[in-house]
């Protein structure tokens, strides 16, 4: 049941931008002030040049005016340098805030959301989209800010020199306004589509890479190639759309930027003959309007980056929307009883894979869920863990629906551990403290000992060693994951084949250690090795999505039902090495 992450609308994006500015008001204010002063200083030289021309025409001296013009140029250079420096620092700090907020939001997503979103989409938002926004803050935003201030000041200066010439120049800029409006009305949707196509392509490539052996074994190369071609075609069409928009915008703006000086020269010549303006005024206005071309071209160059960044920022902020939509205020559970009542669940476009399950898990109980492959064991485990919500019925802990608990509440009550685990970049100590940041080395060592991870003592720096999952191997990574469960200290632990990556002897030792450490806590084990079921207080047997038997191991073996058949098959394979029994036991 794959769901797409939402995209924030313009209103939320503006609010997010204002929030980032409020986090660093001094930096933003200093950037704005220095850029404004630098843009104002750039107006001095053209105005003085006009005064110099008029002064020379009148036979006066220009030494002071020339000195002021040089001073204005130097002042502009100094202000521009410091404005760029402070603006870069502001953008880097803001980029850091965006990255940190993105990480916090990803970690705060409910398990149900993470389970059903496209991995490629989340990866693209955390890498490509965050990178685009970062580059915009570092490069595009300061350049566009400076250029925008220059445009405003230059147009105002032309009006101050001569209102009629200023109106003529402003009228000539109407082409730029029209082309920009046409582009902006279409750009956001086009860049959002480009981002979605990019995410789909990343998802498809990642799936092909991860399942390459399966694709080859099943002869699915042609089918996957055709699917890849469709995804690539969607990405190509989306990129061509944004390219077309740029292809219309750029020539229109470049042509429009050349018209103001030309029209002012023509009108200025007419007004100069009639004595309504001076030559210096015409020259100043032409120079001001000629200077407009550089900031307009800068804005044009970065406008595409700004639109792409705006779409990326909307995708990043969509995580906040997702967290808000999925967060449900739930009361604190009254006790530790987990109860499933009339539970039905179906994946998208399928029949129910869990049907009419009624189950009560008593606090402190060891419960094993067994059954043949496809019986619905893992699905029931996800429902009990609050990752999925029943289609019908309810799963509660302490009379509160498990799926309604916030991520923080859920971690305090129920933890699901599967065979798929991850070793994060950092030391062994860092990886263990993800479960309990306050744990000291003594607690970490006890947790490692509980799961039989005595190999940590042979590492060069023991808890302080840096290791990757490839270096340690899947069995050791799984042991670290089990140690994190002990440190997290929930009252209910659901183990979905959590020791599948361990060899039988290590798995048996880890399971016994977990049983001792988790004394007094509820443990629900989705078992593929039936010795786990033999050690459990009760065994739940599933078949065809239904609970068909519940009872103690000895009772179910004596009853001669489904469990007895599974046990005989598995026990026979243990004794005689039957190759197919393991699959049956699953």
């Amino acid at each position: 049941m794959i769901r797409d992450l939402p995209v924030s609308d313009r209103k939320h994006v503006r609010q997010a931008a204002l929030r980032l500015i409020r986090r660093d008001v001094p930096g933003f204010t200093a950037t704005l002030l220095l850029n404004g002063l630098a843009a104002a200083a750039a107006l001095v030289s053209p105005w003085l040049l006009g005064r110099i021309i008029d002064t020379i025409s009148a036979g006066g001296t220009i030494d002071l005016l020339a000195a002021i013009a040089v001073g204005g140029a130097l002042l502009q250079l100094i202000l521009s340098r410091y404005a760029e420096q402070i603006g870069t620092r502001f953008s880097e700090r803001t980029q850091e805030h965006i990255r940190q907020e993105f990480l916090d939001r990803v970690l705060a997503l409910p398990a149900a959301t993470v389970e059903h979103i496209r991995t490629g989409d989340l990866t693209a938002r955390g890498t490509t989209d965050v990178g685009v926004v970062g580059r915009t803050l570092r490069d595009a935003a300061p350049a566009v800010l400076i250029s925008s201030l220059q445009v405003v000041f230059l147009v105002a200066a032309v009006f101050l020199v001569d209102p009629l010439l200023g109106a003529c120049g402003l009228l000539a800029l109407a082409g730029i306004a029209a082309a920009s409006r046409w582009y902006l009305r279409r750009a956001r949707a086009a860049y959002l589509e480009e981002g979605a196509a990019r995410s789909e392509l990343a998802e498809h490539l990642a799936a092909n890479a991860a399942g390459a052996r399966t694709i080859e074994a099943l002869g699915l190369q042609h089918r996957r190639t055709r699917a890849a071609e469709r995804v690539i075609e969607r990405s190509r069409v989306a990129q061509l759309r944004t390219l077309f928009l740029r292809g219309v915008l750029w020539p229109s703006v470049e042509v429009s930027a050349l018209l103001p000086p030309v029209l002012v020269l023509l009108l200025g010549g007419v007004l100069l003959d009639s004595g309504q303006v001076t030559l210096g005024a015409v020259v100043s206005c032409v120079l001001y309007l000629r200077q407009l071309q550089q900031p307009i071209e800068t804005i044009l160059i970065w406008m595409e980056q700004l639109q792409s960044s705006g779409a990326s920022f909307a995708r990043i902020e969509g995580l906040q929307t997702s967290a808000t939509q999925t967060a449900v205020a739930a009361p604190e559970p009254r006790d530790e009883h987990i109860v499933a009542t009339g539970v039905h669940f179906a994946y998208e476009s399928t029949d129910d894979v869990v049907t009419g399950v009624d189950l009560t898990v008593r606090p402190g109980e060891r419960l094993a869920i067994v059954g043949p492959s496809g019986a619905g064991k893992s699905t029931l485990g996800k429902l009990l863990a609050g990752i999925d919500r029943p289609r019908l019925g309810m799963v509660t802990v302490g009379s509160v629906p498990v799926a309604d608990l916030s991520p923080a509440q859920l971690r305090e009550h129920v933890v699901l551990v599967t065979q798929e685990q991850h070793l994060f970049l950092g030391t062994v100590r860092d990886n263990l403290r993800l479960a309990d940041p306050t744990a000291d080395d003594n607690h970490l060592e006890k947790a490692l000992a509980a799961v039989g991870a005595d190999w940590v003592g042979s590492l060069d720096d023991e808890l302080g060693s840096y290791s990757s999952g490839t270096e340690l191997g899947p069995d050791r990574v799984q042991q670290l994951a089990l140690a994190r469960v002990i440190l997290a200290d929930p009252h209910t632990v659901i183990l979905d084949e959590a020791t599948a990556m361990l060899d039988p002897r290590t798995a048996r030792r880890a399971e016994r250690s977990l049983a001792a450490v988790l004394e007094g806590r509820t443990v629900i084990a989705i078992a593929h090795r039936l010795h786990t079921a033999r050690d459990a207080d009760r065994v739940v047997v599933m078949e065809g999505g239904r609970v068909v038997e519940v009872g103690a191991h000895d009772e179910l073996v004596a009853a001669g039902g489904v469990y007895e058949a599974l046990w005989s098959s598995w026990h026979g394979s243990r004794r005689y090495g039957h190759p197919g029994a393991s699959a049956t036991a699953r």
Side-chain angles (χ1 to χ4, degrees):
M1 193 183 301
I2 301 299
R3 305 188 186 107
D4 292 325
L5 284 168
V7 176
S8 291
D9 56 24
R10 287 186 173 91
K11 178 182 177 182
H12 286 92
V13 170
R14 287 194 297 269
Q15 291 173 346
L18 291 175
R19 186 184 68 249
L20 290 171
I21 291 173
R22 286 195 295 269
R23 294 187 66 166
D24 193 0
V25 173
F28 178 77
T29 304
T31 301
L32 192 63
L33 178 62
L34 286 175
N35 280 311
L37 292 174
L43 303 176
V44 174
S45 294
W47 179 76
L48 286 175
L49 183 57
R51 291 291 303 276
I52 289 172
I53 292 173
D54 289 340
T55 301
I56 292 174
S57 300
T61 59
I62 60 170
D63 294 347
L64 179 60
L65 294 176
I68 295 175
V70 172
L74 290 176
L75 180 62
Q76 179 196 3
L77 179 64
I78 294 172
L79 289 173
S80 298
R81 170 180 169 76
Y82 281 101
E84 181 179 1
Q85 185 181 66
I86 292 177
T88 301
R89 290 177 178 176
F90 166 74
S91 63
E92 291 293 339
R93 288 194 298 269
T94 305
Q95 181 180 352
E96 179 185 1
H97 294 324
I98 292 174
R99 291 184 182 277
Q100 186 61 52
E101 284 184 353
F102 180 84
L103 179 60
D104 292 342
R105 290 169 183 174
V106 170
L107 296 177
L109 285 175
T113 301
V114 176
E115 186 75 12
H116 298 297
I117 60 176
R118 300 180 189 276
T119 305
D121 187 15
L122 187 61
T123 301
R125 295 187 190 215
T127 53
T128 304
D129 289 329
V130 171
V132 168
V133 174
R135 287 192 297 273
T136 299
L137 288 170
R138 186 186 64 240
D139 301 326
V144 171
L145 175 62
I146 295 170
S147 298
S148 299
L149 290 173
Q150 287 175 339
V151 169
V152 172
F153 286 177
L154 287 169
V155 171
V158 173
F159 271 95
L160 289 175
V161 172
D162 189 276
L164 187 57
L165 294 178
C168 177
L170 189 61
L171 180 63
L173 294 174
I176 296 178
S180 299
R181 178 179 174 80
W182 178 89
Y183 173 80
L184 292 174
R185 290 178 62 182
R186 295 163 174 78
R188 187 176 190 272
Y191 280 106
L192 285 175
E193 170 61 20
E194 185 179 32
R198 186 171 57 235
S199 295
E200 185 181 8
L201 180 59
E203 175 80 17
H204 196 85
L205 293 177
N208 282 350
R213 293 183 179 179
T214 302
I215 293 171
E216 183 178 5
L218 298 178
L220 300 176
Q221 295 93 327
H222 294 299
R223 183 185 302 178
R224 297 301 295 177
T225 298
R226 288 195 298 271
E229 289 173 349
R230 288 194 296 270
V231 174
I232 293 171
E233 177 63 16
R234 180 191 175 189
S235 180
R236 185 186 72 86
V237 170
Q239 292 187 47
L240 285 177
R241 173 62 177 167
T242 58
L243 181 61
F244 166 74
L245 295 178
R246 296 192 297 272
V248 172
L249 175 69
W250 289 358
S252 302
V253 173
E254 288 179 355
V255 171
S256 298
L258 296 174
L259 291 179
V262 174
L263 293 180
V264 167
L265 276 174
L266 294 175
L267 179 61
V270 174
L271 296 177
L272 185 62
D273 286 340
S274 63
Q276 298 182 46
V277 296
T278 65
L279 178 61
V282 174
V283 171
S284 294
C285 288
V286 170
L287 289 176
Y288 281 138
L289 293 173
R290 190 69 183 89
Q291 283 187 4
L292 275 176
Q293 186 171 2
Q294 187 273 328
I296 287 175
E297 287 181 351
T298 300
I299 294 173
L300 173 64
I301 291 171
W302 288 112
M303 186 175 289
E304 182 231 345
Q305 177 76 14
L306 288 173
Q307 291 303 306
S308 176
S309 176
S312 294
F313 195 30
R315 286 163 51 79
I316 293 170
E317 285 298 312
L319 283 179
Q320 176 65 20
T321 305
S322 179
T324 302
Q325 290 174 346
T326 54
V328 178
E332 189 65 26
R334 296 182 311 204
D335 52 45
E336 300 175 2
H337 283 83
I338 296 178
V339 180
T341 307
V343 171
H344 293 252
F345 179 82
Y347 293 102
E348 190 173 356
S349 302
T350 67
D351 296 330
D352 283 348
V353 294
V354 171
T355 305
V357 171
D358 293 299
L359 180 65
T360 298
V361 184
R362 297 184 292 265
E365 181 178 30
R366 267 47 173 190
L367 186 74
I369 302 177
V370 303
S373 178
K377 304 185 299 295
S378 295
T379 301
L380 179 58
K382 291 179 180 179
L383 291 167
L384 295 175
I387 291 178
D388 286 321
R389 186 183 295 273
R391 183 179 66 82
L392 295 173
M394 185 175 296
V395 178
T396 62
V397 54
S399 300
V400 177
V402 179
D404 285 350
L405 296 177
S406 67
Q409 286 178 305
L410 190 61
R411 282 192 292 268
E412 293 177 1
H413 293 277
V414 184
V415 169
L416 172 66
V417 182
T418 70
Q419 60 182 308
E420 298 176 1
Q421 298 299 331
H422 181 68
L423 185 67
F424 295 90
L425 180 64
T427 65
V428 173
R429 182 183 292 108
D430 294 335
N431 274 271
L432 293 176
R433 282 182 174 168
L434 290 172
D436 182 7
T438 65
D440 57 24
D441 285 359
N442 184 46
H443 285 86
L444 302 183
E445 290 168 357
K446 287 182 179 179
L448 291 170
V451 296
D454 49 3
W455 49 266
V456 173
S458 64
L459 299 178
D460 293 339
D461 193 18
E462 297 188 0
L463 292 175
S465 298
Y466 281 83
S467 299
S468 69
T470 303
E471 293 170 345
L472 290 182
D475 57 336
R476 294 184 173 183
V477 173
Q478 189 71 356
Q479 285 179 312
L480 292 180
L482 294 175
R484 284 200 291 257
V485 174
I486 296 172
L487 292 167
D489 199 24
H491 70 66
T492 298
V493 178
I494 301 176
L495 304 173
D496 186 359
E497 300 187 355
T499 58
M501 292 295 185
L502 308 181
D503 63 82
R505 180 177 300 177
T506 303
R508 183 65 170 161
R509 185 169 65 250
E511 288 164 357
R512 286 176 174 170
S513 300
L514 275 173
V517 171
L518 299 177
E519 187 68 33
R521 309 186 192 283
T522 307
V523 178
I524 302 173
I526 299 170
H528 68 291
R529 293 188 178 103
L530 291 189
H531 62 71
T532 303
R534 182 181 58 189
D535 295 340
D537 299 327
R538 283 193 303 159
V539 180
V540 175
V541 185
M542 295 192 68
E543 190 174 51
R546 299 178 180 274
V547 173
V548 294
E549 294 177 352
V550 179
H553 166 79
D554 293 338
E555 296 173 359
L556 295 179
V557 170
V562 176
Y563 181 76
E564 191 276 335
L566 289 172
W567 175 258
S568 297
S569 177
W570 183 81
H571 197 262
S573 72
R574 296 264 295 176
R575 182 176 298 173
Y576 303 113
H578 190 285
S582 177
T584 304
R586 291 177 185 271

